[in-house]
Amino acid sequence: MSIKRDLKKEGIEVIEQLDRLTINSLSKNVADKIAKAFPHLNLNSNNLFMSISRLNMYYAKLPNGISAKYFYKNKSIYFADNLEVQSLADVAVHECIHYLQEMCDKDGTILRLGLCDYTSGDLPGIGMNEAAVQLMAAKCIGADYESVKYFDIELITNTPTYYPLECALMSQMAYVIGEDVLFDSTINANNNFKEQFISLTSPKVFYTIEKNIDLLVDIQAKLEELYFNLQEFDTDDYYIKKTLKEIEKQKEKIKNLFVNTQRLILTSYFDNAINLAYSPKMIENYRNKLYLFENVTGHVDGDNFYNDYYIDKMMQLEKKYDEKNTEIRDLVVVKHNFISTLIRRIKILFGLNPDTVIGKVN
């Protein structure tokens, strides 16, 4: 009775269960995709298949816009009833990753879902985790990248219809730390990604980003509710104007939150990393990494923050490079003077003319 009540609360109305042959075929397809996409995780396709095939799978009526939903309380995946069988595998990847990343206690109570802490009431990291899982799913199915624009933010993304802003921010974090670390922490529910990001920035920065991405999810949910109210209810002009004003307010909030979080990721990492660039090769690596960061950024018309920041850092690098070359030149002069003095002293010790060139007969 409890599960039925919970499903109803989630807006899930079961229609029918998938047959065993379809479940096995689907599980094999998904297991192969995940194992092939992430060789560094050393995932065994057969073991993945055995685990995924234990899930219950159903066709169901789902809330508008949702294609599939994993429900951890009864280890089940619910697919929208309008999906065709051949498209189930691609849709299922995201939900199966959710299942694989679960960490439960001996009683089956969920403690952690990838990057999200379920022992805390407000579920910190739920936005980060959702975005990281979607990035993994997009990689599994070989999703194409495309240019999109949301809330005046232009992005190049392979997740255009599923939390593209959150995925963009997670891609930026993964760019500076490494995708392998992110995906390892996502599917194995460990702290490696968090700890490495903190080590290169700070705890305050990480928790601010985590909070901001969670907030992005909440604001977008609120925005969807406002749009729904406009479409579904017969309202007067005053209510429509009021709602439209609130919609614009929330859209502006989303844009500002994204831009500020993006700036925080950029500056917190590269402000620290420049201090570690102490050799010509490391200086060049830093230059290239900062230059290529632009490929994962979201762009807003009139916002020149990245360009200005890049120029400022290049000026700092030039100064650093000049100082390093000066140190090398000074070191060469010091070495030369030291060796010359040493040779003169040796000549004097052996009773030779200190100005005589060794090997030359006067």
Side-chain angles (χ1 to χ4, degrees):
M1 183 64 182
S2 176
I3 292 296
K4 288 183 179 180
R5 186 167 57 247
D6 289 340
L7 289 175
K8 186 176 181 180
K9 187 178 179 180
E10 294 287 332
I12 299 173
E13 182 183 337
V14 178
I15 296 177
E16 64 176 337
Q17 187 167 10
L18 272 64
D19 61 80
R20 176 45 54 187
L21 183 62
T22 301
I23 290 176
N24 286 345
S25 175
L26 186 58
S27 300
K28 182 67 167 63
N29 193 322
V30 171
D32 289 346
K33 278 182 166 66
I34 295 174
K36 183 179 180 180
F38 309 105
H40 69 282
L41 294 178
N42 296 317
L43 300 170
N44 183 282
S45 181
N46 289 330
N47 291 342
L48 289 176
F49 164 72
M50 293 297 293
S51 182
I52 295 170
S53 63
R54 296 190 189 103
L55 287 167
N56 300 307
M57 300 185 188
Y58 302 89
Y59 276 119
K61 291 188 180 297
L62 300 177
N64 188 39
I66 297 179
S67 299
K69 175 80 173 179
Y70 171 64
F71 197 61
Y72 72 90
K73 291 184 179 180
N74 63 347
K75 313 296 182 194
S76 299
I77 296 178
Y78 298 90
F79 297 101
D81 59 334
N82 59 349
L83 288 177
E84 297 181 358
V85 174
Q86 56 266 33
S87 66
L88 291 181
D90 286 352
V91 173
V93 171
H94 183 106
E95 309 309 322
C96 288
I97 293 174
H98 273 317
Y99 166 64
L100 295 171
Q101 66 174 183
E102 275 185 358
M103 181 183 290
C104 301
D105 63 17
K106 61 181 181 180
D107 298 320
T109 302
I110 188 167
L111 302 175
R112 181 166 173 158
L113 193 66
L115 307 177
C116 179
D117 180 7
Y118 265 67
T119 63
S120 178
D122 56 352
L123 303 180
I126 193 168
M128 272 189 170
N129 188 63
E130 201 62 41
V133 169
Q134 180 57 23
L135 289 174
M136 291 185 76
K139 193 176 184 71
C140 285
I141 66 176
D144 293 329
Y145 283 85
E146 57 183 277
S147 177
V148 296
K149 190 170 186 177
Y150 296 102
F151 312 109
D152 298 325
I153 304 167
E154 292 186 33
L155 301 167
I156 303 295
T157 178
N158 60 350
T159 64
T161 61
Y162 196 90
Y163 292 127
L165 299 184
E166 292 83 350
C167 287
L169 294 174
M170 288 305 297
S171 291
Q172 292 169 24
M173 295 179 77
Y175 174 78
V176 299
I177 301 299
E179 267 195 353
D180 289 355
V181 182
L182 172 61
F183 296 152
D184 170 57
S185 289
T186 301
I187 202 164
N188 291 317
N190 62 51
N191 284 323
N192 292 343
F193 176 75
K194 173 182 175 180
E195 290 171 354
Q196 289 194 38
F197 192 85
I198 286 175
S199 72
L200 295 176
T201 56
S202 73
K204 181 180 179 181
V205 167
F206 178 84
Y207 290 118
T208 299
I209 296 170
E210 179 184 68
K211 182 179 179 182
N212 287 357
I213 294 177
D214 286 348
L215 186 55
L216 267 179
V217 174
D218 292 340
I219 298 175
Q220 287 176 94
K222 182 175 182 179
L223 192 60
E224 288 179 7
E225 184 179 347
L226 289 170
Y227 279 123
F228 177 80
N229 290 341
L230 276 181
Q231 295 171 0
E232 295 296 318
F233 298 105
D234 185 15
T235 57
D236 57 28
D237 289 342
Y238 172 76
Y239 180 84
I240 292 174
K241 290 179 181 178
K242 183 179 178 181
T243 303
L244 288 174
K245 185 176 180 180
E246 183 63 23
I247 285 173
E248 291 306 311
K249 179 181 176 182
Q250 297 304 320
K251 288 167 67 175
E252 191 67 19
K253 269 187 182 181
I254 289 171
K255 181 174 75 172
N256 291 336
L257 187 58
F258 175 88
V259 168
N260 290 335
T261 306
Q262 177 173 267
R263 289 180 181 178
L264 181 59
I265 295 170
L266 171 68
T267 58
S268 64
Y269 173 75
F270 285 101
D271 282 357
N272 285 340
I274 198 169
N275 297 321
L276 302 176
Y278 53 82
S279 70
K281 183 176 181 181
M282 294 179 77
I283 289 173
E284 190 58 29
N285 288 343
Y286 177 96
R287 190 196 309 272
N288 289 335
K289 192 164 188 177
L290 178 55
Y291 176 76
L292 294 174
F293 185 86
E294 187 179 18
N295 294 338
V296 293
T297 59
H299 299 276
V300 177
D301 287 343
D303 181 13
N304 297 314
F305 184 86
Y306 170 81
N307 290 335
D308 293 342
Y309 183 83
Y310 179 83
I311 291 170
D312 179 64
K313 289 304 173 195
M314 291 306 102
M315 291 174 66
Q316 289 184 43
L317 285 184
E318 286 300 321
K319 183 179 178 182
K320 223 172 169 39
Y321 191 81
D322 289 343
E323 289 174 350
K324 184 58 60 180
N325 282 344
T326 299
E327 290 174 9
I328 292 172
R329 286 195 299 270
D330 290 345
L331 183 59
V332 169
V333 171
V334 168
K335 280 186 174 181
H336 176 75
N337 291 339
F338 172 76
I339 292 171
S340 298
T341 301
L342 181 61
I343 291 173
R344 287 178 65 85
R345 288 177 179 175
I346 291 173
K347 288 178 180 178
I348 292 171
L349 179 64
F350 286 95
L352 300 174
N353 183 347
D355 296 321
T356 299
V357 177
I358 294 178
K360 182 177 180 181
V361 179
N362 288 324

Short mmCIF file of all heavy atoms in Angstrom, two decimals, residues 74-129:
data_model
loop_
_atom_site.label_atom_id
_atom_site.label_comp_id
_atom_site.label_asym_id
_atom_site.label_seq_id
_atom_site.Cartn_x
_atom_site.Cartn_y
_atom_site.Cartn_z
N ASN A 74 11.32 0.50 -4.67
CA ASN A 74 10.98 -0.87 -5.09
C ASN A 74 11.83 -1.35 -6.27
O ASN A 74 11.47 -2.28 -6.98
CB ASN A 74 9.48 -0.98 -5.44
CG ASN A 74 9.10 -0.12 -6.63
OD1 ASN A 74 9.86 0.74 -7.06
ND2 ASN A 74 7.90 -0.34 -7.16
N LYS A 75 13.00 -0.67 -6.46
CA LYS A 75 13.96 -1.08 -7.49
C LYS A 75 13.28 -1.29 -8.84
O LYS A 75 13.39 -2.34 -9.47
CB LYS A 75 14.69 -2.36 -7.09
CG LYS A 75 15.24 -2.38 -5.67
CD LYS A 75 16.30 -1.33 -5.47
CE LYS A 75 16.88 -1.39 -4.06
NZ LYS A 75 17.67 -0.21 -3.71
N SER A 76 12.59 -0.28 -9.31
CA SER A 76 11.83 -0.41 -10.55
C SER A 76 12.05 0.80 -11.46
O SER A 76 12.30 1.91 -10.99
CB SER A 76 10.33 -0.53 -10.26
OG SER A 76 10.05 -1.67 -9.48
N ILE A 77 11.97 0.53 -12.77
CA ILE A 77 12.01 1.60 -13.77
C ILE A 77 10.66 1.66 -14.45
O ILE A 77 10.11 0.64 -14.87
CB ILE A 77 13.11 1.36 -14.81
CG1 ILE A 77 14.49 1.38 -14.16
CG2 ILE A 77 13.06 2.43 -15.90
CD1 ILE A 77 15.64 1.12 -15.12
N TYR A 78 10.14 2.89 -14.57
CA TYR A 78 8.86 3.10 -15.22
C TYR A 78 9.08 3.91 -16.50
O TYR A 78 9.69 4.99 -16.47
CB TYR A 78 7.91 3.85 -14.27
CG TYR A 78 7.62 3.07 -13.02
CD1 TYR A 78 8.42 3.22 -11.89
CD2 TYR A 78 6.57 2.15 -12.97
CE1 TYR A 78 8.18 2.49 -10.73
CE2 TYR A 78 6.33 1.41 -11.81
CZ TYR A 78 7.14 1.58 -10.70
OH TYR A 78 6.90 0.85 -9.56
N PHE A 79 8.63 3.37 -17.62
CA PHE A 79 8.78 4.02 -18.91
C PHE A 79 7.45 4.64 -19.34
O PHE A 79 6.38 4.05 -19.11
CB PHE A 79 9.22 3.01 -19.98
CG PHE A 79 10.56 2.39 -19.72
CD1 PHE A 79 10.68 1.11 -19.19
CD2 PHE A 79 11.73 3.08 -20.02
CE1 PHE A 79 11.91 0.54 -18.96
CE2 PHE A 79 12.98 2.52 -19.79
CZ PHE A 79 13.07 1.24 -19.25
N ALA A 80 7.54 5.80 -19.98
CA ALA A 80 6.34 6.44 -20.50
C ALA A 80 5.66 5.51 -21.49
O ALA A 80 6.31 4.86 -22.31
CB ALA A 80 6.68 7.76 -21.16
N ASP A 81 4.36 5.42 -21.42
CA ASP A 81 3.62 4.44 -22.22
C ASP A 81 3.64 4.73 -23.71
O ASP A 81 3.27 3.88 -24.52
CB ASP A 81 2.16 4.35 -21.73
CG ASP A 81 1.43 5.69 -21.83
OD1 ASP A 81 2.10 6.73 -21.77
OD2 ASP A 81 0.19 5.67 -21.95
N ASN A 82 4.10 5.93 -24.10
CA ASN A 82 4.14 6.26 -25.53
C ASN A 82 5.50 5.96 -26.18
O ASN A 82 5.72 6.22 -27.35
CB ASN A 82 3.79 7.73 -25.75
CG ASN A 82 4.74 8.68 -25.02
OD1 ASN A 82 5.54 8.24 -24.20
ND2 ASN A 82 4.64 9.96 -25.32
N LEU A 83 6.43 5.38 -25.40
CA LEU A 83 7.75 5.04 -25.94
C LEU A 83 7.69 3.75 -26.74
O LEU A 83 7.02 2.79 -26.35
CB LEU A 83 8.77 4.88 -24.81
CG LEU A 83 9.24 6.14 -24.09
CD1 LEU A 83 10.18 5.76 -22.96
CD2 LEU A 83 9.93 7.09 -25.05
N GLU A 84 8.42 3.73 -27.87
CA GLU A 84 8.51 2.51 -28.66
C GLU A 84 9.63 1.63 -28.10
O GLU A 84 10.60 2.12 -27.50
CB GLU A 84 8.79 2.85 -30.12
CG GLU A 84 7.67 3.66 -30.76
CD GLU A 84 7.95 3.96 -32.22
OE1 GLU A 84 9.04 3.55 -32.70
OE2 GLU A 84 7.11 4.60 -32.87
N VAL A 85 9.51 0.32 -28.29
CA VAL A 85 10.45 -0.63 -27.70
C VAL A 85 11.89 -0.33 -28.11
O VAL A 85 12.81 -0.40 -27.28
CB VAL A 85 10.08 -2.08 -28.12
CG1 VAL A 85 11.14 -3.06 -27.64
CG2 VAL A 85 8.72 -2.46 -27.57
N GLN A 86 12.12 0.04 -29.37
CA GLN A 86 13.48 0.26 -29.86
C GLN A 86 14.16 1.48 -29.23
O GLN A 86 15.38 1.62 -29.30
CB GLN A 86 13.52 0.37 -31.39
CG GLN A 86 12.62 1.45 -31.97
CD GLN A 86 11.27 0.91 -32.37
OE1 GLN A 86 10.75 -0.01 -31.75
NE2 GLN A 86 10.71 1.49 -33.44
N SER A 87 13.38 2.36 -28.62
CA SER A 87 13.97 3.55 -27.99
C SER A 87 14.16 3.39 -26.48
O SER A 87 14.71 4.28 -25.83
CB SER A 87 13.09 4.77 -28.27
OG SER A 87 11.83 4.65 -27.63
N LEU A 88 13.73 2.26 -25.95
CA LEU A 88 13.80 2.06 -24.50
C LEU A 88 15.24 2.04 -23.97
O LEU A 88 15.52 2.56 -22.89
CB LEU A 88 13.09 0.76 -24.09
CG LEU A 88 11.57 0.72 -24.24
CD1 LEU A 88 11.04 -0.63 -23.77
CD2 LEU A 88 10.92 1.85 -23.45
N ALA A 89 16.14 1.42 -24.71
CA ALA A 89 17.52 1.24 -24.23
C ALA A 89 18.19 2.59 -23.96
O ALA A 89 18.79 2.79 -22.90
CB ALA A 89 18.33 0.42 -25.22
N ASP A 90 18.09 3.52 -24.92
CA ASP A 90 18.72 4.83 -24.74
C ASP A 90 18.12 5.57 -23.55
O ASP A 90 18.84 6.22 -22.77
CB ASP A 90 18.58 5.67 -26.00
CG ASP A 90 19.50 5.21 -27.12
OD1 ASP A 90 20.35 4.33 -26.85
OD2 ASP A 90 19.38 5.72 -28.24
N VAL A 91 16.81 5.48 -23.40
CA VAL A 91 16.13 6.14 -22.28
C VAL A 91 16.51 5.49 -20.95
O VAL A 91 16.65 6.15 -19.93
CB VAL A 91 14.60 6.11 -22.49
CG1 VAL A 91 13.87 6.63 -21.26
CG2 VAL A 91 14.21 6.93 -23.71
N ALA A 92 16.70 4.16 -20.99
CA ALA A 92 16.94 3.40 -19.76
C ALA A 92 18.32 3.64 -19.18
O ALA A 92 18.52 3.44 -17.97
CB ALA A 92 16.75 1.91 -20.04
N VAL A 93 19.29 4.06 -20.00
CA VAL A 93 20.67 4.20 -19.51
C VAL A 93 20.74 5.11 -18.29
O VAL A 93 21.36 4.77 -17.27
CB VAL A 93 21.59 4.73 -20.63
CG1 VAL A 93 22.96 5.07 -20.05
CG2 VAL A 93 21.74 3.71 -21.74
N HIS A 94 20.12 6.26 -18.37
CA HIS A 94 20.14 7.22 -17.26
C HIS A 94 19.58 6.59 -15.98
O HIS A 94 20.19 6.70 -14.91
CB HIS A 94 19.31 8.46 -17.64
CG HIS A 94 19.31 9.55 -16.61
ND1 HIS A 94 20.01 10.72 -16.76
CD2 HIS A 94 18.69 9.64 -15.40
CE1 HIS A 94 19.83 11.49 -15.70
NE2 HIS A 94 19.02 10.86 -14.87
N GLU A 95 18.45 5.91 -16.11
CA GLU A 95 17.80 5.32 -14.93
C GLU A 95 18.60 4.15 -14.37
O GLU A 95 18.67 3.95 -13.15
CB GLU A 95 16.38 4.87 -15.28
CG GLU A 95 15.53 5.93 -15.98
CD GLU A 95 15.53 7.27 -15.25
OE1 GLU A 95 15.50 7.28 -14.01
OE2 GLU A 95 15.55 8.31 -15.94
N CYS A 96 19.24 3.39 -15.24
CA CYS A 96 20.05 2.26 -14.78
C CYS A 96 21.30 2.73 -14.05
O CYS A 96 21.75 2.10 -13.09
CB CYS A 96 20.42 1.36 -15.96
SG CYS A 96 19.04 0.40 -16.61
N ILE A 97 21.87 3.84 -14.49
CA ILE A 97 23.01 4.41 -13.78
C ILE A 97 22.58 4.82 -12.38
O ILE A 97 23.32 4.62 -11.40
CB ILE A 97 23.63 5.59 -14.56
CG1 ILE A 97 24.26 5.09 -15.86
CG2 ILE A 97 24.68 6.31 -13.70
CD1 ILE A 97 24.76 6.20 -16.77
N HIS A 98 21.39 5.39 -12.26
CA HIS A 98 20.87 5.72 -10.92
C HIS A 98 20.82 4.48 -10.04
O HIS A 98 21.19 4.52 -8.86
CB HIS A 98 19.46 6.32 -11.04
CG HIS A 98 19.45 7.79 -11.27
ND1 HIS A 98 20.27 8.66 -10.59
CD2 HIS A 98 18.70 8.58 -12.09
CE1 HIS A 98 20.04 9.90 -10.98
NE2 HIS A 98 19.09 9.87 -11.90
N TYR A 99 20.37 3.39 -10.61
CA TYR A 99 20.29 2.13 -9.84
C TYR A 99 21.68 1.65 -9.43
O TYR A 99 21.90 1.26 -8.27
CB TYR A 99 19.58 1.08 -10.69
CG TYR A 99 19.72 -0.34 -10.17
CD1 TYR A 99 19.19 -0.71 -8.93
CD2 TYR A 99 20.40 -1.30 -10.91
CE1 TYR A 99 19.33 -2.00 -8.45
CE2 TYR A 99 20.54 -2.60 -10.45
CZ TYR A 99 20.00 -2.94 -9.21
OH TYR A 99 20.15 -4.23 -8.74
N LEU A 100 22.64 1.71 -10.35
CA LEU A 100 23.98 1.20 -10.08
C LEU A 100 24.73 2.05 -9.06
O LEU A 100 25.62 1.56 -8.37
CB LEU A 100 24.78 1.15 -11.38
CG LEU A 100 24.27 0.16 -12.44
CD1 LEU A 100 25.01 0.37 -13.76
CD2 LEU A 100 24.43 -1.28 -11.97
N GLN A 101 24.38 3.33 -8.94
CA GLN A 101 25.12 4.23 -8.06
C GLN A 101 24.56 4.25 -6.63
O GLN A 101 25.08 4.95 -5.77
CB GLN A 101 25.13 5.65 -8.63
CG GLN A 101 23.77 6.31 -8.69
CD GLN A 101 23.81 7.76 -9.12
OE1 GLN A 101 22.79 8.42 -9.15
NE2 GLN A 101 24.96 8.30 -9.47
N GLU A 102 23.51 3.50 -6.38
CA GLU A 102 22.92 3.46 -5.04
C GLU A 102 23.87 2.90 -3.99
O GLU A 102 24.56 1.90 -4.23
CB GLU A 102 21.67 2.58 -5.04
CG GLU A 102 20.41 3.25 -5.46
CD GLU A 102 19.22 2.33 -5.30
OE1 GLU A 102 19.39 1.17 -4.90
OE2 GLU A 102 18.11 2.77 -5.59
N MET A 103 23.89 3.52 -2.84
CA MET A 103 24.61 2.97 -1.69
C MET A 103 23.61 2.88 -0.54
O MET A 103 23.08 3.90 -0.08
CB MET A 103 25.79 3.87 -1.30
CG MET A 103 26.59 3.35 -0.11
SD MET A 103 27.92 4.50 0.37
CE MET A 103 29.02 4.30 -1.03
N CYS A 104 23.34 1.65 -0.10
CA CYS A 104 22.32 1.43 0.93
C CYS A 104 22.92 0.76 2.16
O CYS A 104 23.99 0.14 2.09
CB CYS A 104 21.19 0.55 0.38
SG CYS A 104 20.35 1.23 -1.07
N ASP A 105 22.23 0.87 3.30
CA ASP A 105 22.66 0.14 4.49
C ASP A 105 22.11 -1.28 4.44
O ASP A 105 21.43 -1.67 3.48
CB ASP A 105 22.25 0.87 5.77
CG ASP A 105 20.73 0.98 5.94
OD1 ASP A 105 19.98 0.23 5.26
OD2 ASP A 105 20.29 1.81 6.75
N LYS A 106 22.38 -2.06 5.48
CA LYS A 106 21.98 -3.47 5.47
C LYS A 106 20.47 -3.66 5.45
O LYS A 106 19.97 -4.72 5.07
CB LYS A 106 22.58 -4.18 6.68
CG LYS A 106 22.12 -3.63 8.02
CD LYS A 106 22.78 -4.37 9.17
CE LYS A 106 22.31 -3.82 10.52
NZ LYS A 106 22.94 -4.53 11.65
N ASP A 107 19.74 -2.62 5.85
CA ASP A 107 18.28 -2.70 5.84
C ASP A 107 17.67 -2.22 4.53
O ASP A 107 16.46 -2.20 4.37
CB ASP A 107 17.70 -1.87 7.01
CG ASP A 107 18.14 -2.39 8.36
OD1 ASP A 107 18.19 -3.62 8.52
OD2 ASP A 107 18.44 -1.57 9.24
N GLY A 108 18.54 -1.81 3.61
CA GLY A 108 18.06 -1.35 2.32
C GLY A 108 17.74 0.13 2.26
O GLY A 108 17.25 0.62 1.24
N THR A 109 18.02 0.85 3.34
CA THR A 109 17.78 2.30 3.35
C THR A 109 18.87 2.99 2.56
O THR A 109 20.06 2.76 2.80
CB THR A 109 17.76 2.84 4.79
OG1 THR A 109 16.75 2.16 5.53
CG2 THR A 109 17.48 4.34 4.80
N ILE A 110 18.48 3.83 1.62
CA ILE A 110 19.47 4.50 0.78
C ILE A 110 20.24 5.55 1.58
O ILE A 110 19.64 6.37 2.29
CB ILE A 110 18.80 5.12 -0.47
CG1 ILE A 110 19.85 5.63 -1.44
CG2 ILE A 110 17.82 6.22 -0.10
CD1 ILE A 110 19.30 5.98 -2.81
N LEU A 111 21.55 5.50 1.48
CA LEU A 111 22.42 6.45 2.17
C LEU A 111 22.97 7.50 1.21
O LEU A 111 23.16 8.65 1.58
CB LEU A 111 23.59 5.72 2.83
CG LEU A 111 23.24 4.62 3.84
CD1 LEU A 111 24.51 3.91 4.30
CD2 LEU A 111 22.50 5.22 5.03
N ARG A 112 23.20 7.04 0.00
CA ARG A 112 23.81 7.93 -0.97
C ARG A 112 23.44 7.50 -2.37
O ARG A 112 23.33 6.30 -2.65
CB ARG A 112 25.34 7.90 -0.78
CG ARG A 112 26.11 8.81 -1.70
CD ARG A 112 27.53 8.97 -1.21
NE ARG A 112 28.33 9.71 -2.17
CZ ARG A 112 29.44 10.36 -1.88
NH1 ARG A 112 29.90 10.33 -0.65
NH2 ARG A 112 30.10 11.02 -2.80
N LEU A 113 23.25 8.47 -3.23
CA LEU A 113 22.99 8.21 -4.64
C LEU A 113 24.05 8.97 -5.44
O LEU A 113 23.89 10.16 -5.73
CB LEU A 113 21.58 8.67 -5.02
CG LEU A 113 21.04 8.18 -6.37
CD1 LEU A 113 20.83 6.68 -6.36
CD2 LEU A 113 19.73 8.89 -6.72
N GLY A 114 25.16 8.29 -5.72
CA GLY A 114 26.25 8.94 -6.44
C GLY A 114 26.83 10.12 -5.68
O GLY A 114 27.42 9.96 -4.61
N LEU A 115 26.62 11.33 -6.18
CA LEU A 115 27.15 12.54 -5.57
C LEU A 115 26.20 13.14 -4.54
O LEU A 115 26.55 14.14 -3.90
CB LEU A 115 27.43 13.60 -6.65
CG LEU A 115 28.32 13.16 -7.82
CD1 LEU A 115 28.44 14.31 -8.84
CD2 LEU A 115 29.70 12.73 -7.35
N CYS A 116 25.03 12.55 -4.37
CA CYS A 116 24.00 13.11 -3.50
C CYS A 116 23.95 12.38 -2.16
O CYS A 116 23.88 11.15 -2.11
CB CYS A 116 22.64 13.05 -4.18
SG CYS A 116 21.28 13.68 -3.16
N ASP A 117 23.96 13.14 -1.07
CA ASP A 117 23.90 12.59 0.28
C ASP A 117 22.44 12.46 0.72
O ASP A 117 21.76 13.47 0.96
CB ASP A 117 24.67 13.51 1.23
CG ASP A 117 24.66 13.00 2.67
OD1 ASP A 117 24.19 11.87 2.91
OD2 ASP A 117 25.14 13.74 3.55
N TYR A 118 21.96 11.23 0.84
CA TYR A 118 20.57 10.99 1.23
C TYR A 118 20.38 10.98 2.74
O TYR A 118 19.27 10.83 3.22
CB TYR A 118 20.07 9.67 0.63
CG TYR A 118 19.33 9.87 -0.67
CD1 TYR A 118 20.01 10.32 -1.81
CD2 TYR A 118 17.97 9.63 -0.79
CE1 TYR A 118 19.35 10.52 -3.00
CE2 TYR A 118 17.29 9.83 -1.97
CZ TYR A 118 18.00 10.28 -3.09
OH TYR A 118 17.34 10.49 -4.27
N THR A 119 21.46 11.11 3.51
CA THR A 119 21.32 11.14 4.97
C THR A 119 20.98 12.54 5.45
O THR A 119 20.65 12.74 6.63
CB THR A 119 22.62 10.67 5.65
OG1 THR A 119 23.69 11.58 5.32
CG2 THR A 119 22.98 9.27 5.21
N SER A 120 21.06 13.52 4.56
CA SER A 120 20.70 14.89 4.90
C SER A 120 19.33 15.21 4.32
O SER A 120 19.03 14.85 3.17
CB SER A 120 21.75 15.87 4.35
OG SER A 120 21.39 17.20 4.64
N GLY A 121 18.52 15.89 5.09
CA GLY A 121 17.14 16.14 4.70
C GLY A 121 16.96 16.91 3.41
O GLY A 121 16.03 16.66 2.64
N ASP A 122 17.88 17.85 3.12
CA ASP A 122 17.73 18.65 1.91
C ASP A 122 18.45 18.06 0.70
O ASP A 122 18.53 18.68 -0.36
CB ASP A 122 18.22 20.09 2.15
CG ASP A 122 19.66 20.13 2.65
OD1 ASP A 122 20.22 19.05 2.95
OD2 ASP A 122 20.22 21.23 2.75
N LEU A 123 18.97 16.84 0.85
CA LEU A 123 19.61 16.10 -0.26
C LEU A 123 20.65 16.93 -1.01
O LEU A 123 20.53 17.17 -2.22
CB LEU A 123 18.55 15.60 -1.25
CG LEU A 123 17.45 14.70 -0.69
CD1 LEU A 123 16.49 14.28 -1.80
CD2 LEU A 123 18.03 13.48 -0.02
N PRO A 124 21.70 17.40 -0.31
CA PRO A 124 22.73 18.19 -1.00
C PRO A 124 23.42 17.38 -2.09
O PRO A 124 23.72 16.21 -1.93
CB PRO A 124 23.73 18.52 0.13
CG PRO A 124 23.51 17.46 1.16
CD PRO A 124 22.05 17.14 1.09
N GLY A 125 23.63 18.01 -3.24
CA GLY A 125 24.28 17.35 -4.36
C GLY A 125 23.33 16.68 -5.33
O GLY A 125 23.77 16.06 -6.30
N ILE A 126 22.03 16.83 -5.11
CA ILE A 126 21.07 16.14 -5.99
C ILE A 126 21.13 16.72 -7.41
O ILE A 126 21.01 15.98 -8.40
CB ILE A 126 19.63 16.23 -5.42
CG1 ILE A 126 18.73 15.26 -6.18
CG2 ILE A 126 19.08 17.64 -5.46
CD1 ILE A 126 17.38 15.04 -5.52
N GLY A 127 21.35 18.02 -7.53
CA GLY A 127 21.48 18.63 -8.85
C GLY A 127 22.76 18.22 -9.54
O GLY A 127 22.77 17.90 -10.74
N MET A 128 23.87 18.23 -8.79
CA MET A 128 25.15 17.77 -9.33
C MET A 128 25.04 16.34 -9.83
O MET A 128 25.52 16.00 -10.91
CB MET A 128 26.23 17.83 -8.24
CG MET A 128 26.94 19.14 -8.11
SD MET A 128 28.33 18.94 -6.96
CE MET A 128 29.17 20.49 -7.23
N ASN A 129 24.42 15.49 -9.02
CA ASN A 129 24.33 14.08 -9.38
C ASN A 129 23.48 13.87 -10.62
O ASN A 129 23.83 13.09 -11.50
CB ASN A 129 23.76 13.27 -8.22
CG ASN A 129 23.81 11.78 -8.47
OD1 ASN A 129 24.89 11.20 -8.61
ND2 ASN A 129 22.66 11.16 -8.56
#
